[in-house]
Amino acid sequence: MSTRPIGVAVIGAGMAGRAHLNGYRQAATLYGEGLPDVRLVAVADAHEPFARDAARRYGFERAETDWWAIVEADDIDAVSVVVANHLHREIVEALLAAGKHVLCEKPLAPSVADAQAMVAAAEGTGLVAATGFTFRRSPSINAVRQQVLDGSLGPVQHFNGHYWCDYGHDPDAPISWRYRGGPGSGALSDIGSHLIDLGEYFCGPVRSVQGAVLSTQVSTRPVPLGTAVGHSAGVRVSEEREPVENDDIATFTATFVSGAVGTFSVSRIARGLANSLGFEVFTEGGAATFELSRPAEFTITDDAAADPVDGYRRVVVGPGHPYIAGGLPMDFPSVGHGQHEFFVWQARAFLEQIAGLDRLPPCPTLADGLHNLRVIDAIVASADAGGKAVTVQ
């Protein structure tokens, strides 16, 4: 176990970048003593106003406009990479070569080949090299998973999941990197990567996918007149329009190695649903449901109650469930939490790994991010083949 202070930085001051910044700011306040001192060193963003505002807001020592400044800094040990997907490989490889621990947002890279190179760059370094599948930190999701692995539910037979957002619903919202790239790099990679990871979190690895459909409903978008953050809401646009190159909607089914079946639906144009992730697991011993709009609860049905009162019951998470005890300023039953806490608990787990502690489940590795891209590749291949079954490589 190391007691050396950990200097942290975040590359990317957009929407998810701010969630990482807030996560590091709060991480040292959780789960008691033992974590080395955490220094909030720097935030980098090519747009200087974003970098400066984020550094001020979250208490980081300095702002940078060039990510190479983070790579070359002697006072930085660990870095979150939260920028456009096509930039991930170059940045992560440079950070690893500089001896820095890395937590890279999903999807890991724009291609399997890029992700393979990133995994290779991390091998043998002894560094923590992680992928940010943040929903694995949900207390409710983990409480359901506990019931699947060693509780009343037992093995999953059917996972049915959706991730529906509406950030792309407005056809006059500006073009950005999110709408560029090949098939599968749109909604499927952006939000579907999370849903795929959750399916495997419950069911184990996907063996094959079939019935895939990728659809682009908004074919062109206007060129922005200014710098945008997040999903570009509120940015003025020109009359010039550019083609959308990737998918607004993705649907597919999956067969898991375990024999379970999965059905998946992803959309970035689901009007009125800003951030709707949810799933049902149907198991040998019952069933359970989760919906992100009610993050601190889940429903479950099993053999605990007999007719005529058998049915789904609502469970509100508390200190008896994962992450809550010691993980909130007021870790009392029914206090509740939101999605921001997932990033805080993820940051704490990342820092504990760096320090050699083992109190929280480790972050998914770059290899996990590579596998996720292999599943996405199989989905794209299935769609290209008219829904034909494709084995995950």
Side-chain angles (χ1 to χ4, degrees):
M1 186 180 74
S2 172
T3 59
R4 178 177 175 271
I6 304 171
V8 299
V10 175
I11 299 175
M15 183 174 61
R18 294 195 298 267
H20 281 254
L21 290 160
N22 179 65
Y24 288 124
R25 180 180 174 87
Q26 295 192 46
T29 70
L30 310 179
Y31 302 118
E33 299 179 354
L35 188 70
D37 289 341
V38 178
R39 292 186 55 237
L40 308 179
V41 180
V43 53
D45 196 283
H47 188 53
E48 185 175 10
F50 291 169
R52 289 194 177 279
D53 177 67
R56 175 195 58 79
R57 187 183 305 184
Y58 296 101
F60 279 65
E61 296 173 10
R62 62 180 183 266
E64 306 283 2
T65 56
D66 187 342
W67 59 264
W68 272 107
I70 305 297
V71 173
E72 295 170 348
D74 293 333
D75 55 351
I76 295 172
D77 306 293
V79 183
S80 281
V81 178
V82 199
V83 293
N85 305 333
H86 67 277
L87 300 173
H88 286 182
R89 176 181 174 179
E90 181 183 10
I91 295 174
V92 168
E93 288 182 344
L95 290 168
L96 291 170
K100 302 186 190 306
H101 305 280
V102 175
L103 172 58
C104 184
E105 264 297 337
K106 46 48 56 196
L108 186 59
S111 71
V112 166
D114 287 323
Q116 286 175 319
M118 295 162 69
V119 170
E123 289 177 352
T125 63
L127 298 167
V128 178
T131 306
F133 290 117
T134 319
F135 289 105
R136 292 196 191 191
R137 301 293 160 183
S138 161
S140 296
I141 289 172
N142 280 281
V144 174
R145 187 169 182 261
Q146 285 181 339
Q147 295 304 308
V148 166
L149 295 179
D150 53 20
S152 64
L153 293 181
V156 176
Q157 297 167 323
H158 179 198
F159 175 93
N160 179 59
H162 69 264
Y163 203 161
W164 298 327
C165 298
D166 64 359
Y167 64 82
H169 179 267
D170 181 359
D172 293 323
I175 195 79
S176 72
W177 63 266
R178 294 183 186 276
Y179 303 105
R180 297 188 173 101
S185 66
L188 179 59
S189 287
D190 187 22
I191 53 180
S193 54
H194 276 306
L195 194 61
I196 293 164
D197 184 66
L198 284 181
E200 294 195 316
Y201 198 49
F202 281 97
C203 303
V206 172
R207 182 178 65 207
S208 64
V209 297
Q210 48 277 323
V213 175
L214 302 178
S215 177
T216 304
Q217 297 289 320
V218 180
S219 60
T220 66
R221 292 187 177 276
V223 175
L225 293 174
T227 303
V229 65
H231 291 114
S232 306
V235 178
R236 293 177 59 243
V237 298
S238 70
E239 295 183 1
E240 179 186 0
R241 301 181 74 90
E242 292 183 351
V244 173
E245 300 173 351
N246 52 28
D247 42 288
D248 291 324
I249 299 169
T251 63
F252 63 96
T253 62
T255 302
F256 296 89
V257 172
S258 66
V261 173
T263 46
F264 297 79
S265 174
V266 178
S267 175
R268 63 188 181 191
I269 59 169
R271 173 71 179 270
L273 296 174
N275 191 35
S276 177
L277 179 147
F279 62 80
E280 297 81 35
V281 289
F282 303 99
T283 76
E284 293 180 1
T289 73
F290 170 80
E291 173 55 55
L292 186 58
S293 63
R294 305 177 74 93
E297 64 182 62
F298 60 95
T299 70
I300 187 170
T301 179
D302 52 21
D303 294 331
D307 286 337
V309 293
D310 185 21
Y312 280 95
R313 60 188 184 275
R314 172 175 169 262
V315 180
V316 178
V317 298
H321 296 110
Y323 293 105
I324 299 299
L328 292 172
M330 187 165 58
D331 53 356
F332 193 74
S334 300
V335 167
H337 61 79
Q339 189 175 345
H340 286 292
E341 279 77 12
F342 302 169
F343 288 90
V344 178
W345 297 325
Q346 174 180 259
R348 176 69 184 218
F350 180 49
L351 294 168
E352 288 202 357
Q353 282 180 259
I354 293 169
L357 303 173
D358 59 358
R359 293 179 297 193
L360 294 177
C363 293
T365 65
L366 296 189
D368 293 314
L370 168 60
H371 171 75
N372 188 265
L373 286 173
R374 292 191 190 280
V375 177
I376 289 173
D377 257 18
I379 295 165
V380 173
S382 174
D384 286 345
K388 179 182 176 181
V390 175
T391 301
V392 176
Q393 299 301 313

